[in-house]
Amino acid sequence: MGNWSFLVVAVVITALAFDFTNGFHDTANAMATSIATGALRPRVAVAISGALNLVGAFLSTEVAKTISGGIVNDSLITPSMIFAGLVGAIMWNLVTWLLGLPSSSSHALFGGLIGATWVGAGVKGVHFSVVMEKIVIPALASPLIAGVVAMTATYLAYVITSRGNRDQVGRGFRAGQIASASLVSLAHGTNDAQKTMGVITLTLISAGILSHGAGPPWWVVLAAGLAIALGTYIGGWRIIRTMGKGLTDIESPQGFAAETSATTVILASSHLGFALSTTQVCSGAILGAGIGRRLAEVRWSVAGRMVLAWVFTLPAAAAVGGVAAAVAEQGTAGITVVFLAAVAVAVAIYAISRRNPVHAANVNDQPTTTVLPPPQASAA
């Protein structure tokens, strides 16, 4: 059996850092519509979401097994490649958070790992058939399925309640949103927390600490669940604003329909081991809910920017992961250079974000037409 080295410890810590960014990047998936309709206060919403993400992390490990023994050859990958892939994923998460774009943390992770493995081990290090079956096809199908289901559910919700008192109907659906948003958070924990579990397990396998084909140990499940829960509680307010107010004007029946539809798709995929993007599923469901309500405004320009982010996520993260792997494979000095560069970029992104901060108090303000805050904007 292998031994714990400094590099292995560094990779585990970096993986948990990615899990944290995944949490605050994806809080919007579960809670954006509930916050937008007033069903939940912003701070209460992220607290509920964080707690249920932690619970969801313990419900299944099928997606973790897909990552730890599926998309890359675990006999060829090294901890330094995994470290480089994580850096690529974290950088993309931070950039898209700054822009307020709900891109896929999952695909950022997959892209980073694929790019780093390709550079470090060659084409034979990536199982492209598994990537196509478990990642690409679900990525194309899941937002469409969620959108159609949400559109149908929204239409039926308005038809069924058309003769009811509007205020009473709204209160009823807002109460229902508390349950449906909670289910999305639970489903998110069963899907996204597992991705970090898979990465850490892959690291332990590559270092010889675990045998090939092993599942995640209990402490990995707990650590990944806690990291994503903490990130969720921090609240990715920029992306919450985009999904709650930027795509369409959400009413409580639409929010309930979108959340319920997304939950169904996510839980089904987790059961089958498909590591899909909860961001894409929830965004598709919100768009479907917007289309399903007559006379609702759908802001297709915002949707177009989101789709562009989805298209570029995997290749962009792969490019950064590949470059990082080329440097990290040079040894301790290379790993140090990659780490310091990543920290510098992260600090710069945070500094830029403070020019026009988004937080719990202003998250329901209408987004401006420019996604990136102008330099002259004053800090709140």
Side-chain angles (χ1 to χ4, degrees):
M1 298 295 288
N3 295 317
W4 284 85
S5 64
F6 173 78
L7 177 57
V8 171
V9 173
V11 173
V12 171
I13 293 173
T14 306
L16 294 176
F18 164 78
D19 207 22
F20 177 82
T21 67
N22 189 354
F24 75 71
H25 198 281
D26 289 3
T27 309
N29 296 343
M31 292 300 172
T33 56
S34 294
I35 292 171
T37 63
L40 288 167
R41 295 194 303 274
R43 282 296 179 191
V44 173
V46 296
I48 292 173
S49 185
L52 290 173
N53 265 288
L54 176 59
V55 173
F58 288 89
L59 297 184
S60 172
T61 58
E62 291 303 314
V63 173
K65 292 175 183 176
T66 295
I67 294 172
S68 63
I71 64 174
V72 296
N73 189 332
D74 62 14
S75 64
L76 296 177
I77 197 168
T78 64
S80 61
M81 295 179 204
I82 299 172
F83 171 75
L86 287 166
V87 168
I90 291 171
M91 292 299 99
W92 184 255
N93 271 357
L94 292 177
V95 168
T96 50
W97 164 77
L98 176 66
L99 297 174
L101 290 174
S103 71
S104 171
S105 298
S106 306
H107 292 170
L109 175 60
F110 302 146
L113 287 176
I114 290 169
T117 304
W118 198 338
V119 169
V123 178
K124 61 184 179 297
V126 182
H127 296 152
F128 287 102
S129 60
V130 177
V131 171
M132 182 63 65
E133 176 189 356
K134 296 285 189 177
I135 298 173
V136 176
I137 293 177
L140 295 174
S142 58
L144 295 176
I145 294 172
V148 170
V149 173
M151 179 181 65
T152 305
T154 299
Y155 174 77
L156 292 175
Y158 278 102
V159 168
I160 293 170
T161 61
S162 60
R163 295 186 179 182
N165 179 277
R166 184 177 178 86
D167 292 336
Q168 290 180 345
V169 169
R171 284 196 297 270
F173 275 112
R174 281 193 292 274
Q177 275 192 275
I178 297 174
S180 60
S182 298
L183 285 173
V184 176
S185 296
L186 189 68
H188 184 265
T190 66
N191 197 280
D192 279 48
Q194 290 188 58
K195 291 157 191 171
T196 298
M197 297 178 207
V199 169
I200 295 175
T201 302
L202 183 61
T203 302
L204 300 179
I205 290 172
S206 68
I209 297 171
L210 294 178
S211 59
H212 291 288
W218 70 268
W219 65 266
V220 172
V221 177
L222 177 61
L226 288 172
I228 200 169
L230 180 59
T232 300
Y233 179 71
I234 293 299
W237 304 111
R238 291 174 178 273
I239 300 175
I240 290 175
R241 175 186 283 182
T242 299
M243 292 184 71
K245 292 292 184 180
L247 283 173
T248 186
D249 295 321
I250 290 287
E251 294 182 350
S252 52
Q254 294 169 280
F256 179 78
E259 291 159 1
T260 304
S261 303
T263 299
T264 303
V265 174
I266 295 168
L267 288 178
S269 70
S270 295
H271 177 71
L272 296 172
F274 292 129
L276 54 71
S277 165
T278 56
T279 299
Q280 292 183 2
V281 171
C282 294
S283 300
I286 292 172
L287 282 174
I291 296 171
R293 178 167 70 91
R294 189 168 63 92
L295 301 180
E297 178 188 3
V298 176
R299 300 179 184 92
W300 293 108
S301 60
V302 177
R305 288 196 292 270
M306 284 171 43
V307 172
L308 281 177
W310 295 354
V311 170
F312 284 108
T313 292
L314 198 146
V320 176
V323 172
V327 177
E329 286 287 288
Q330 303 306 310
T332 303
I335 292 170
T336 303
V337 168
V338 172
F339 175 79
L340 293 177
V343 170
V345 172
V347 170
I349 288 173
Y350 178 76
I352 293 171
S353 75
R354 301 314 299 162
R355 296 176 181 176
N356 189 10
V358 181
H359 42 73
N362 66 3
V363 68
N364 275 336
D365 293 349
Q366 191 67 35
T368 56
T369 53
T370 47
V371 179
L372 184 63
Q376 68 269 23
S378 60

